């Protein structure tokens, strides 16, 4: 899954991962993060998720990173906000508005200095978008640039032999391996995905709270 893969998905509007409503799991479990109004929350691999609209409405400051400029332009357009756009690194743009900054580029090129201080991470369809070989590097990088803040993580579990990812199946053991040395990990929800994944493969969506240790 390289940049070209995702770019093509956005160009062809093949964005089945994009929900047409705010993720009910975010609405249900956001309170467990216990964030105060004005807290800054990082949404990695954010696409144009409506969850960002909801977080802003809740008084959060949101910072995201997304490879596709198409996605970010659509995000701002759907929010009805005109961003200030600046080149913040040779391979990174920043689309900025009040309480919202979205970096356009590869998360692995995003530094702690560029990201700035955040109080929490909301990862929905980010970890599961990455193939197994990239996930350890992703988890380490996320911890490195965020300063190991708490995470609300939404994953999918299913029989990986039935379909190829993304989204990839991520098990409890995987999460323990990626994050167990840095976080106390609690599972808050396991819900069957209605209708299954891609043609009906049974799948479970899980919600995890990762608390820094
Ligand atoms: C499965 S989608 C999820 C989007 C969003 N989190 C949501 O819930 O709708 C994964 C997104 O990550 C972006 N992406 C993939 N690899 C990336 C990377 N290395 N850096 C930044 N964004 C990336 C893709 O362009 C895509 O929009």
């Amino acid at each position: 899954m390289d940049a070209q893969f995702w770019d093509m998905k956005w160009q062809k509007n093949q964005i089945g991962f994009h929900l047409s409503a705010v993720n009910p799991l975010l609405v249900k479990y956001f309170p467990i993060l216990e964030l105060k109004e004005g807290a800054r929350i990082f949404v990695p691999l954010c696409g144009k998720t409506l969850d960002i609209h909801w977080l802003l409405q809740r008084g959060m400051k949101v910072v995201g990173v997304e490879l596709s400029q198409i996605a970010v332009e659509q995000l701002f357009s759907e929010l009805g906000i005109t961003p200030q756009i600046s080149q913040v690194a040779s391979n990174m743009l920043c689309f900025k508005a009040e309480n919202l900054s979205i970096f356009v580029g590869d998360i692995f090129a995003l530094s702690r200095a560029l990201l700035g201080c955040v109080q929490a991470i909301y990862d929905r369809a980010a970890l599961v978008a990455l193939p197994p070989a990239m996930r350890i590097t992703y988890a380490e990088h996320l911890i490195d640039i965020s300063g190991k803040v708490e995470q609300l993580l939404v994953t999918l579990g299913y029989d990986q032999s039935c379909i190829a990812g993304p989204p990839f199946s991520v098990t409890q053991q995987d999460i323990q391996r990626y994050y167990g040395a840095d976080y106390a990990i609690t599972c808050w929800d396991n819900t069957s995905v209605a209708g299954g994944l891609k043609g009906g493969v049974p799948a479970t969506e899980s919600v995890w709270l990762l608390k820094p240790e």
Side-chain angles (χ1 to χ4, degrees):
M1 270 79 254
D2 53 12
Q4 220 183 342
F5 170 90
W6 290 107
D7 205 43
M8 197 58 79
K9 290 276 175 208
W10 280 100
Q11 276 183 40
K12 293 187 172 169
N13 203 32
Q14 292 171 346
I15 52 169
F17 51 79
H18 177 72
L19 302 179
S20 57
V22 176
N23 189 333
L25 295 172
L26 172 65
V27 176
K28 186 167 180 188
Y29 292 105
F30 178 74
I32 67 177
L33 290 171
E34 297 181 331
L35 292 171
K36 296 205 172 81
E37 199 173 321
R40 200 158 180 260
I41 185 161
F42 181 35
V43 185
L45 282 60
C46 61
K48 59 164 189 170
T49 177
L50 297 179
D51 298 348
I52 289 178
H53 300 225
W54 187 85
L55 288 166
L56 290 169
Q57 284 159 10
R58 293 293 304 249
M60 296 294 113
K61 294 181 173 146
V62 178
V63 53
V65 64
E66 166 56 51
L67 269 177
S68 166
Q69 188 162 335
I70 297 172
V72 178
E73 285 170 354
Q74 289 183 7
L75 170 71
F76 277 89
S77 162
E78 288 167 16
L79 279 163
I81 298 174
T82 304
Q84 302 270 7
I85 304 170
S86 56
Q87 183 99 39
V88 290
S90 60
N91 49 3
M92 187 86 66
L93 294 177
C94 184
F95 281 48
K96 207 169 173 19
E98 197 183 359
N99 296 332
L100 178 61
S101 299
I102 305 289
F103 293 96
V104 182
D106 188 339
I107 189 171
F108 297 105
L110 183 64
S111 65
R112 192 166 178 167
L114 276 180
L115 177 64
C117 192
V118 292
Q119 280 75 55
I121 294 166
Y122 169 54
D123 177 332
R124 184 264 167 188
L127 183 68
V128 302
L130 300 172
M134 284 177 75
R135 282 189 224 133
I136 278 276
T137 316
Y138 166 79
E140 286 173 357
H141 182 65
L142 203 52
I143 290 169
D144 185 39
I145 60 175
S146 69
K148 199 170 94 173
V149 293
E150 63 180 338
Q151 293 196 38
L152 188 65
L153 169 64
V154 183
T155 59
L156 284 167
Y158 63 91
D159 182 349
Q160 191 70 85
S161 66
C162 293
I163 44 170
F168 295 97
S169 179
V170 172
T171 64
Q172 176 155 17
Q173 289 78 7
D174 292 331
I175 295 169
Q176 193 60 38
R177 195 152 43 86
Y178 306 144
Y179 290 120
D182 293 282
Y183 289 101
I185 300 163
T186 317
C187 183
W188 279 73
D189 205 330
N190 286 307
T191 310
S192 290
V193 175
L197 276 187
K198 296 183 183 177
V201 174
T204 302
E205 197 164 27
S206 302
V207 178
W208 310 86
L209 178 66
L210 278 53
K211 280 272 187 198
E213 287 194 314

